[in-house]
Amino acid sequence: MNSEASRETNILYVGSEPALPVERPETPPIYHSTANIIADMDDYDFASKGGKYYYCRTANPNRDSVAEIVSYLEHGEQSLVCASGMAAISTAILSLIKAGDNIIASRSIYGETIELFENIVKKFNVTVTYADFTDVKSVQAAIQPNTKIVYTEIIANPLIEVTDIDAIVQAAHNANALVLVDSTFTTPFAIRPLEHGADIVIHSMTKYFGGHSDITAGCITGSHIVMKKIYADYLLFGGCLDPNSSWLMLRSIRTMEMRVMKQFENAKKIAEALQQDKHVRYVNYPTLSNHPQHELAMKLMPKGCGAMLSFRVEDSRDKVNAFMHRLKIVKYLGTLGGYRTTIAHPATAFRNDFSPEKLLEMGMEEGLIRISAGAEDSADLIADFKQALNVFEEN
C-alpha cells in the first residue's frame, strides 16, 4: 500500500500481490489477466519477442499448457488453441491459401466446413473440389496443378466412412499439397494423423477433449515450419481460447483417456447389439465385419474406432420422433463426445442448409440416427435403445 496515496487510488492496488510465497500448487492457477506489467521499453522488447507473457491474445500460460499437452498427445511439434472447432478449421484453412489456389475436400466432411468453403473461402477466388475419399483414385483424379490443400476427416460424419490416410497423404504430397485432417471423431487415442504423414491435425476440442459438454474450443497441431505460417494470422483473427476455458480444458484432458477408451468400447457393443435388432436396417461402425472399410479401420485404428456410430430405421419422421421420446437414458443433443450417450438426427441438423436432394446424396435419410457413445454401463444403454426401437412395430 502506498501510504501517501488516497483511498481512491489505493483501492485499485491493495491486494494485488500474494501475502506469502506461492510455490508449486497442485492445480495450476487461472491467469485471467489480459496483460502483464512491463518494466520499461527494454522489457517490452524482450516480451514482444517471446521472452515472457505480456498480452493474453498473444500468449497465455493456461492456453499454452493446453497446447503443450495436445502436442504431446498428437506427437506434434507445436499447437495453437482456438475458441472453437470452427475457429481452428477456418484459421488453418485461411492461413494456408491464396487467390488462385485449389482445395480438394472429402465430400463427407462436417457440414459447416462445407459451408466455410462455399460461403467464405470461394469469395477469395479459391476453388474447392469435392471427392470420394474412400476411393483414392477419385482423389488423385481431382488433383490440379494449383491444388494446395487436401482436406479430410479420418472417420466421416454421419456415415462413419473411413479414409485411407496413408494413401491420401502419398497422393497429396506427390502433388506438393498439404494434408489437413480433422481428427475430432477419432482422437489421438485411435489414431495420430501426423504419424501417417499429415501436415496438420485439427480437433474440435468441444467434443472429446472437453468431454463434459461445457467448453467450446478447438486446436491446430503441426510442425514448427507449417505452424509458423498459421500463427501470425491466428493472432490477427483473434480466435484464441480464454484463460478460464483453457484451465477447464486442461482439467478435462487429464481424464480423457479413461473416458474415451470406455466410450470406444461402448460404441462397439452398441453397434453389435443394434445390428442384431430387427427394426434396424443397417449400422455404420468400422469394427463390424460388414463395414465397407472394416479391414482398413482395423489396420489404422487397432485400439478402437471411435465412439461415433449411426444406424438407419424406417424413414418415418413421426416414428423417429416417437423413438426419441421413448428413450429413458439417452437424450437428443446438438453436439457429441460428452461422457453421456446422446443421439442426433443428421437430416434435421442440416435441413436448413441443404436441399432434400442434397441431403439424400449425402446419405442423410429420414431414418438415419447418429449415436455418440458415452461412458455409462453398456447394458443399460443397449436396453434403452431396444425398448425404444419397439415403436417401429406400432402403426
Side-chain angles (χ1 to χ4, degrees):
M1 182 178 70
N2 185 345
S3 59
E4 297 179 359
S6 67
R7 182 177 66 186
E8 187 178 13
T9 295
N10 273 329
I11 198 171
L12 304 179
Y13 292 87
V14 173
S16 295
E17 301 294 334
L20 297 172
V22 180
E23 297 181 359
R24 304 178 65 190
E26 170 65 8
T27 301
I30 305 175
Y31 294 90
H32 280 123
S33 181
T34 59
N36 296 65
I37 295 171
I38 298 294
D40 52 31
M41 289 180 287
D42 294 334
D43 193 32
Y44 188 92
D45 288 341
F46 175 71
S48 64
K49 293 176 181 177
K52 67 178 187 179
Y53 294 106
Y54 74 109
Y55 185 60
C56 185
R57 176 164 55 85
T58 304
N60 170 270
N62 298 112
R63 192 163 63 246
D64 282 355
S65 294
V66 176
E68 181 182 2
I69 198 167
V70 171
S71 294
Y72 167 76
L73 290 173
E74 284 292 359
H75 293 188
E77 293 179 358
Q78 184 181 351
S79 296
L80 296 174
V81 181
C82 304
S84 69
M86 284 307 302
I89 293 168
S90 58
T91 297
I93 292 291
L94 294 173
S95 299
L96 297 172
I97 57 169
K98 65 182 185 305
D101 287 347
N102 168 257
I103 297 171
I104 297 176
S106 168
R107 67 180 186 184
S108 301
I109 54 173
Y110 178 50
E112 290 192 3
T113 305
I114 295 175
E115 291 184 62
L116 170 71
F117 289 149
E118 295 298 310
N119 300 336
I120 296 178
V121 170
K122 287 186 176 181
K123 289 181 181 179
F124 300 103
N125 193 29
V126 173
T127 59
V128 181
T129 306
Y130 299 97
D132 178 2
F133 272 55
T134 64
D135 178 3
V136 177
K137 291 182 179 179
S138 170
V139 178
Q140 291 172 328
I143 292 175
Q144 304 170 30
N146 61 335
T147 298
K148 301 301 180 184
I149 288 176
V150 174
Y151 186 95
T152 188
E153 299 168 4
I154 300 294
I155 294 180
N157 174 30
L159 300 182
I160 322 299
E161 297 171 338
V162 180
T163 296
D164 187 345
I165 187 61
D166 297 317
I168 296 299
V169 165
Q170 183 177 353
H173 286 175
N174 285 344
N176 295 316
L178 296 174
V179 178
L180 276 63
V181 176
D182 180 343
S183 196
T184 297
F185 270 31
T186 36
T187 82
F189 301 104
I191 188 171
R192 291 182 290 272
L194 299 179
E195 293 184 339
H196 293 261
D199 299 287
I200 290 289
V201 60
I202 299 168
H203 290 275
S204 171
M205 302 182 81
T206 309
K207 312 321 192 273
Y208 294 102
F209 277 84
H212 295 72
S213 303
D214 58 6
I215 314 168
T216 302
C219 61
I220 312 164
T221 304
S223 68
H224 290 305
I225 294 173
V226 177
M227 296 303 291
K228 185 177 181 179
K229 298 177 182 178
I230 298 174
Y231 180 66
D233 287 353
Y234 164 81
L235 293 181
L236 295 176
F237 291 150
C240 58
L241 192 63
D242 70 276
N244 192 64
S245 295
S246 297
W247 187 92
L248 288 170
M249 182 60 72
L250 183 65
R251 173 219 61 182
S252 295
I253 294 173
R254 300 302 188 199
T255 61
M256 184 179 177
E257 184 168 5
M258 290 181 276
R259 289 185 280 105
V260 165
M261 297 312 292
K262 173 66 172 177
Q263 289 171 274
F264 287 7
E265 177 187 332
N266 278 355
K268 181 176 182 291
K269 291 179 178 178
I270 293 168
E272 291 169 351
L274 289 176
Q275 185 162 249
Q276 300 301 317
D277 193 285
K278 65 181 181 180
H279 307 101
V280 176
R281 295 184 179 182
Y282 56 79
V283 181
N284 300 312
Y285 191 67
T287 63
L288 298 176
S289 59
N290 63 341
H291 187 281
Q293 293 93 38
H294 172 71
E295 291 185 8
L296 172 64
M298 294 300 96
K299 183 182 83 169
L300 292 176
M301 300 171 282
K303 295 185 178 179
C305 293
M308 300 301 301
L309 64 146
S310 61
F311 67 101
R312 186 181 175 194
V313 290
E314 181 183 341
D315 292 324
S316 166
R317 181 183 178 91
D318 290 341
K319 287 188 177 181
V320 171
N321 264 335
F323 165 78
M324 294 174 178
H325 294 154
R326 190 169 290 195
L327 288 166
K328 298 176 181 178
I329 298 173
V330 180
K331 306 301 180 188
Y332 189 157
L333 199 65
T335 186
L336 59 97
Y339 61 86
R340 297 196 292 205
T341 299
T342 60
I343 59 168
H345 190 251
T348 297
F350 294 102
R351 207 182 301 280
N352 295 329
D353 303 310
F354 300 102
S355 68
E357 294 75 21
K358 184 64 176 177
L359 289 174
L360 289 176
E361 181 186 327
M362 296 166 71
M364 297 186 193
E365 292 92 352
E366 202 66 44
L368 187 73
I369 298 169
R370 190 190 71 185
I371 300 174
S372 170
E376 303 94 336
D377 184 313
S378 60
D380 291 337
L381 296 172
I382 291 169
D384 195 28
F385 281 119
K386 283 190 170 294
Q387 63 83 22
L389 283 167
N390 287 328
V391 74
F392 292 98
E393 290 185 2
E394 301 170 4
N395 294 323

